Amino acid sequence: GDVPPSMQVKLLRALQEQEFERVGGEAPIKVNVRVVSATNKDLDAEVAAGRFRQDLFFRLHVLPVKLPPLRERREDIPLLVNYFLAKFAREQSSAPKSISSSAVKLLEKYHWPGNVRELENAIERAMVVAQEPELREHDFILKPRNHNGTASKSLEEIEKAHILRVLEGCGWNQTRAAEVLGIDRVTLHHKIKRYGWSRSTVASR
């Protein structure tokens, strides 16, 4: 869905003719491939708007598989949670953490606008900030919704609490905290300065 028009033409030719020309090459190279593609965009709408070639769309649209968003398959959440807990334990060379049933219920009720990737990030952050071997409800900071289904006006307070918890969980290592938060270190530094934080002043509260 994000492939530029110039590349769409080349991709279509490669699929139809089963050949391509290498940059600087003098002869076409034959290929025999099977393409599996994915997108989070509505390609019908993209075609109608002229941003995606219709001929390429039909060339790719041979065996479509629609994956429902996470909020429509909540029964998968406990399985995914256990998978991510084991994954991050391996990556961090630590003992796997468990999760309370109430925390699982909290995750099952959440609307997950960011789908599985948001769940993965939520688990990783909770593992960093958790003080106990079992993840509890208070280890997760999720964006609430107002009656219109959008984030409430308390989003800034939620961000502040979450950033502070990650900083404390990382021992105020700003480089590590920025990685966990998914932002660069400069952005984190600006937020710390904006909120008037320092390790000593926060610890004295």
Side-chain angles (χ1 to χ4, degrees):
D2 299 307
V3 177
S6 59
M7 182 58 68
Q8 291 180 33
V9 174
K10 297 176 181 179
L11 179 58
L12 177 63
R13 181 192 169 196
L15 292 175
Q16 290 189 158
E17 305 298 331
Q18 295 188 323
E19 64 179 28
F20 72 97
E21 293 180 5
R22 190 182 314 175
V23 176
E26 298 180 354
I29 299 174
K30 287 289 184 179
V31 294
N32 181 13
V33 298
R34 176 173 295 168
V35 176
V36 179
S37 58
T39 182
N40 60 357
K41 292 189 175 182
D42 183 345
L43 288 187
D44 286 308
E46 294 296 301
V47 169
R51 291 187 291 267
F52 199 87
R53 293 181 61 97
Q54 187 179 51
D55 46 6
L56 177 58
F57 171 71
F58 287 129
R59 196 72 183 80
L60 292 170
H61 200 256
V62 177
L63 184 63
V65 178
K66 182 179 180 181
L67 182 64
L70 190 56
R71 62 181 175 273
E72 294 180 9
R73 47 190 178 99
R74 298 180 188 273
E75 66 278 4
D76 289 348
I77 290 176
L79 298 173
L80 289 167
V81 167
N82 289 329
Y83 169 78
F84 289 131
L85 286 174
K87 172 189 174 185
F88 293 128
R90 289 194 305 270
E91 292 179 355
Q92 299 168 11
S93 299
S94 61
K97 286 184 178 290
S98 60
I99 184 169
S100 68
S101 58
S102 59
V104 173
K105 290 179 180 178
L106 173 70
L107 300 180
E108 289 177 329
K109 292 178 180 178
Y110 184 59
H111 57 290
W112 298 111
N115 287 303
V116 176
R117 184 170 297 176
E118 184 181 4
L119 174 61
E120 181 180 9
N121 291 339
I123 295 296
E124 183 177 17
R125 291 169 184 171
M127 289 183 66
V128 171
V129 303
Q131 301 298 314
E132 302 292 336
E134 181 180 62
L135 301 185
R136 307 286 181 86
E137 290 180 74
H138 62 262
D139 294 319
F140 295 91
I141 300 180
L142 307 174
K143 298 177 183 178
R145 292 185 298 178
N146 59 24
H147 295 299
N148 295 323
T150 57
S152 70
K153 293 182 180 179
S154 61
L155 189 58
E156 182 176 356
E157 286 77 14
I158 293 171
E159 180 192 62
K160 288 173 64 177
H162 184 54
I163 291 175
L164 184 57
R165 180 172 291 183
V166 171
L167 279 167
E168 292 175 341
C170 294
W172 282 81
N173 183 319
Q174 293 186 29
T175 300
R176 173 60 181 152
E179 291 177 356
V180 173
L181 291 165
I183 59 178
D184 59 70
R185 193 177 185 281
V186 174
T187 300
L188 176 59
H189 177 75
H190 287 325
K191 289 183 180 293
I192 293 173
K193 185 176 180 180
R194 173 186 173 188
Y195 296 138
W197 291 338
S198 70
R199 187 171 188 174
S200 58
T201 57
V202 171
S204 64
R205 291 179 184 178

